[in-house]
Amino acid sequence: MAMQLLFPTRIYQARLSARGWRALNARLLRECRQLRADDRVGRRWSAGNYPGGYTSYSSAHRMHALSPTFAALSRQLDRHVQRFARALQFDLRGRQLLMTDCWVNIMGAGAAHAWHLHPLATISGTYYVQIPPGAPGLKFEDPRLERFMAAPPRQSTARRENRPWASVSAQAGALVLFESWLRHAVAVNTRAAERVSISFNYNWF
Ligand SMILES: [Fe+2]
């Protein structure tokens, strides 16, 4: 008997190099909070679209081009994205995979992030700045789900790769990368403390 496992959906997880990530996160956290304080347009947008939270997605989404601190983060992320692209065996000849967007998410108590994907991008991801103990990770959905129709449900004890949803935990100093078409969500932050992350897109030019 032979069983082949085809068409994998890859999720890349890594930590920033041990040297200096705490200091970088302290600076990022200060700048994320300062941005929220300064960004009236973003706060108004978040009030309507991101209850209980703040995101600069609609107002300041190129932070890597505005802040040397975010630029330093982006240089580290570049290396991980290249590694992920090699694992996916992308043929990137003739064009470059570059960061196009980089924005701040601050989830207060009760904030959640509904299912979505990232249009107009190739690889997306999140870097975690501050994660209270017990705060939610990132949940992914099987991209074939809409084709399952009459497929039976999976056993409650099914292996992780056979389940229609899977979560990866969030940890300060860690990053998660995925292909931008993969739907994902963040469950409600039930902790009193703020969950702070930086999301980003890379596109192939
Ligand atoms: Fe996202």
Side-chain angles (χ1 to χ4, degrees):
M1 190 275 268
M3 185 85 76
Q4 300 202 23
L5 190 60
L6 298 173
F7 317 118
T9 304
R10 296 185 194 282
I11 308 289
Y12 178 106
Q13 284 183 280
R15 299 193 65 82
L16 282 202
S17 60
R19 197 151 31 101
W21 74 262
R22 284 181 194 279
L24 177 64
N25 271 22
R27 293 208 306 279
L28 286 168
L29 185 58
R30 265 200 308 278
E31 291 194 22
C32 289
R33 289 188 165 141
Q34 188 63 50
L35 180 63
R36 176 175 57 183
D38 296 340
D39 179 16
R40 199 160 46 87
V41 173
R43 287 201 311 272
R44 196 180 324 126
W45 192 89
S46 300
N49 297 282
Y50 201 46
Y54 162 77
T55 177
S56 71
Y57 178 70
S58 72
S59 49
H61 57 89
R62 288 184 51 80
M63 289 305 295
H64 58 302
L66 294 177
S67 153
T69 311
F70 282 71
L73 172 67
S74 76
R75 286 192 293 276
Q76 298 210 46
L77 295 174
D78 287 346
R79 291 203 296 273
H80 289 285
V81 169
Q82 290 302 329
R83 204 173 293 160
F84 188 36
R86 281 198 296 277
L88 292 161
Q89 299 194 296
F90 283 165
D91 181 354
L92 297 173
R93 281 175 298 180
R95 296 198 251 166
Q96 275 187 299
L97 194 53
L98 297 173
M99 183 181 273
T100 51
D101 308 282
C102 178
W103 64 95
V104 168
N105 310 290
I106 302 178
M107 295 175 70
H113 205 138
W115 289 105
H116 66 285
L117 41 76
H118 292 208
L120 305 175
T122 304
I123 288 178
S124 298
T126 299
Y127 174 71
Y128 296 108
V129 179
Q130 173 179 279
I131 302 297
L138 194 54
K139 191 171 180 184
F140 294 99
E141 183 183 271
D142 187 333
R144 304 163 301 176
L145 195 61
E146 66 198 15
R147 300 190 181 195
F148 284 178
M149 295 188 288
R154 301 299 165 92
Q155 296 166 8
S156 61
T157 54
R159 289 194 304 277
R160 185 168 164 81
E161 70 266 27
N162 282 334
R163 296 181 187 198
W165 294 280
S167 291
V168 300
S169 67
Q171 291 170 352
L175 63 115
V176 180
L177 303 177
F178 47 90
E179 290 187 74
S180 305
W181 45 257
L182 186 61
R183 262 159 53 98
H184 55 282
V186 182
V188 174
N189 179 22
T190 57
R191 321 315 295 181
E194 290 176 334
R195 178 191 188 279
V196 181
S197 65
I198 295 168
S199 294
F200 47 85
N201 288 329
Y202 281 73
N203 208 344
W204 188 45
F205 294 102

